[in-house]
């Protein structure tokens, strides 16, 4: 976790701020989106109950998984995730540049709407594109305005969770003890 522009700081530091030019940030977020899409597509391909097949002009064996079908199953989400992340970051960077490096919720609203529109394009219906754009913009603004902290007492979280200072033995609540005495067959769960 060195001093490069993509580092988030120390190991216990939850913030991840990517700095650099708009092009660098867009390429970075597009690659992160592609990685997330590859992971999602891999999970879909791995847990799909039927063979993953693609339609072929030249025939093929029905009922067998082909390399081409797996490639389509994995790479299609990677493409859409990458486009959505890239569109979001490119729009946010363009808004910052157009507004003299002002970083506020308006940039996030516009970027969320563009990113949401890209996500809505996977369906192809204009109503879905518009609804997804509006909803994603609102959610992104809500996340931006709520701040980066999601925990009220950071010191307690650091003390108990991050530094490995959890108690050695788990202390059960009275309600859990009562349930275990009521259902003795499940007391070791």
């Amino acid at each position: 976790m060195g001093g490069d522009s993509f580092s988030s700081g120390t190991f216990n530091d939850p913030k991840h701020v990517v700095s650099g030019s708009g092009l660098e940030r867009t390429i970075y977020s597009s690659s992160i989106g592609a990685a997330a899409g590859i992971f999602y597509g891999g999970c879909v391909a791995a847990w799909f109950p039927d063979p993953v097949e693609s339609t072929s002009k030249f025939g093929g064996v029905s009922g067998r998984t082909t390399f081409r079908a797996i490639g389509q199953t994995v790479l299609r989400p990677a493409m859409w995730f990458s486009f959505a992340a890239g569109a979001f970051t490119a729009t946010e960077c363009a808004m910052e540049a157009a507004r003299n490096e002002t970083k506020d919720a308006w940039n996030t609203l516009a970027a969320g709407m563009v990113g949401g529109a890209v996500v809505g394009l996977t369906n192809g219906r204009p109503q879905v594109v518009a609804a997804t754009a509006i909803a994603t913009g609102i959610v992104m603004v809500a996340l931006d305005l709520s701040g980066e902290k999601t925990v009220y007492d950071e010191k307690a979280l650091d003390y108990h969770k991050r530094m490995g200072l959890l108690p050695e033995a788990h202390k059960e609540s009275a309600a859990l003890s009562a349930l275990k005495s009521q259902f003795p067959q499940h007391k070791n769960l």
Side-chain angles (χ1 to χ4, degrees), residues 80 117-129 132:
W80 283 110
V118 171
V119 171
L121 284 173
T122 60
N123 186 294
R125 294 177 33 210
Q127 298 91 348
V128 173
V129 173
T132 308

Side-chain angles (χ1 to χ4, degrees), residues 1-2 4 6-10 13-17:
M1 303 269 167
D4 62 346
F6 298 121
S7 175
S8 63
T10 63
D13 189 10
K15 298 177 289 296
H16 183 76
V17 178

Side-chain angles (χ1 to χ4, degrees), residues 65-149:
T65 300
T66 62
F67 184 72
R68 178 178 176 172
I70 290 177
Q72 287 177 346
T73 304
V74 171
L75 294 179
R76 186 172 290 141
M79 176 192 70
W80 283 110
F81 278 52
S82 178
F83 284 166
F88 178 88
T89 306
T91 305
E92 191 170 44
C93 291
M95 289 289 291
E96 287 174 11
R99 300 178 66 229
N100 296 327
E101 302 302 322
T102 303
K103 295 181 180 182
D104 59 3
W106 291 109
N107 300 345
T108 307
L109 176 67
M113 291 182 76
V114 172
V118 171
V119 171
L121 284 173
T122 60
N123 186 294
R125 294 177 33 210
Q127 298 91 348
V128 173
V129 173
T132 308
I134 292 168
T136 306
I138 290 170
V139 167
M140 295 307 295
V141 165
L143 289 173
D144 192 35
L145 292 177
S146 66
E148 57 197 33
K149 295 189 180 198

Side-chain angles (χ1 to χ4, degrees), residues 32-59:
I32 295 295
I38 288 172
F39 176 75
Y40 172 77
C43 290
V44 167
W47 281 289
F48 194 72
D50 299 327
V52 182
E53 299 177 9
S54 64
T55 57
S56 175
K57 294 181 192 178
F58 305 110

